[in-house]
């Protein structure tokens, strides 16, 4: 029951944020906790604690910070590209407007 609810919540989040938003949320730890579905008896260095566990946690944190940074950088570039595209589109449309204004002016002068 709880898994189905989480799945529906995740689908709703995905629908609202799109792929980029979901990826950012996942890397920042806002996704569902996968540790619940893992076998508790499997064990890991991190669960054992000590220096190795701390080191593993630090490496994982660094990895996810880097991934988040890369994804945010890609998202920023995507938005910059979109802005540039829209600026070019605006410029193209403004040229068309000017061309139509000139045609209208020439038609008025023929009257």
């Amino acid at each position: 029951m709880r898994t189905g609810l989480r799945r529906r919540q995740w689908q709703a989040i995905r629908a609202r944020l799109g792929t980029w938003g979901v990826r950012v949320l996942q890397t920042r730890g806002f996704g569902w906790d996968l540790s619940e579905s893992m076998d508790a008896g499997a064990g890991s260095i991190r669960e054992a604690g000590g220096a190795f566990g701390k080191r593993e946690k630090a490496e994982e944190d660094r990895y996810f910070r880097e991934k988040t940074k890369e994804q945010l950088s890609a998202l920023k570039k995507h938005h910059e590209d979109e802005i540039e595209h829209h600026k070019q589109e605006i410029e193209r449309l403004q040229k068309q407007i000017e061309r139509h204004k000139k045609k209208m002016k020439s038609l008025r002068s023929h009257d």
Side-chain angles (χ1 to χ4, degrees):
M1 177 83 174
R2 220 168 82 176
T3 306
L5 177 62
R6 282 186 178 199
R7 186 174 293 131
R8 278 185 258 124
Q9 288 172 335
W10 190 246
Q11 289 170 345
I13 290 170
R14 183 175 290 167
R16 273 185 272 150
L17 298 177
T19 304
W20 286 104
V22 170
R23 287 183 181 161
V24 169
L25 290 179
Q26 285 175 335
T27 59
R28 290 192 175 218
F30 293 109
W32 64 72
D33 186 12
L34 295 177
S35 63
E36 292 178 0
S37 64
M38 297 176 111
D39 183 16
S44 71
I45 293 173
R46 188 188 233 179
E47 289 174 0
F52 286 115
K54 290 178 184 177
R55 180 177 176 190
E56 182 179 354
K57 180 178 181 343
E59 288 178 9
E60 286 177 4
D61 290 345
R62 182 182 55 80
Y63 172 81
F64 284 112
R65 278 194 306 272
E66 283 181 22
K67 281 294 182 188
T68 301
K69 187 177 177 182
E70 289 172 8
Q71 289 173 345
L72 289 175
S73 177
L75 184 60
K76 181 180 176 185
K77 179 166 179 1
H78 171 75
H79 285 301
E80 288 171 348
D81 292 344
E82 285 287 314
I83 289 170
E84 184 60 31
H85 167 75
H86 290 299
K87 284 181 180 179
Q88 290 174 356
E89 187 68 12
I90 289 169
E91 185 178 315
R92 183 184 69 79
L93 292 172
Q94 285 176 338
K95 287 178 181 177
Q96 281 186 353
I97 289 170
E98 288 302 316
R99 185 173 52 86
H100 288 294
K101 283 182 179 180
K102 286 179 183 177
K103 280 185 178 181
M104 288 181 65
K105 190 175 182 179
S106 70
L107 289 174
R108 285 187 193 139
S109 66
H110 288 291
D111 283 341

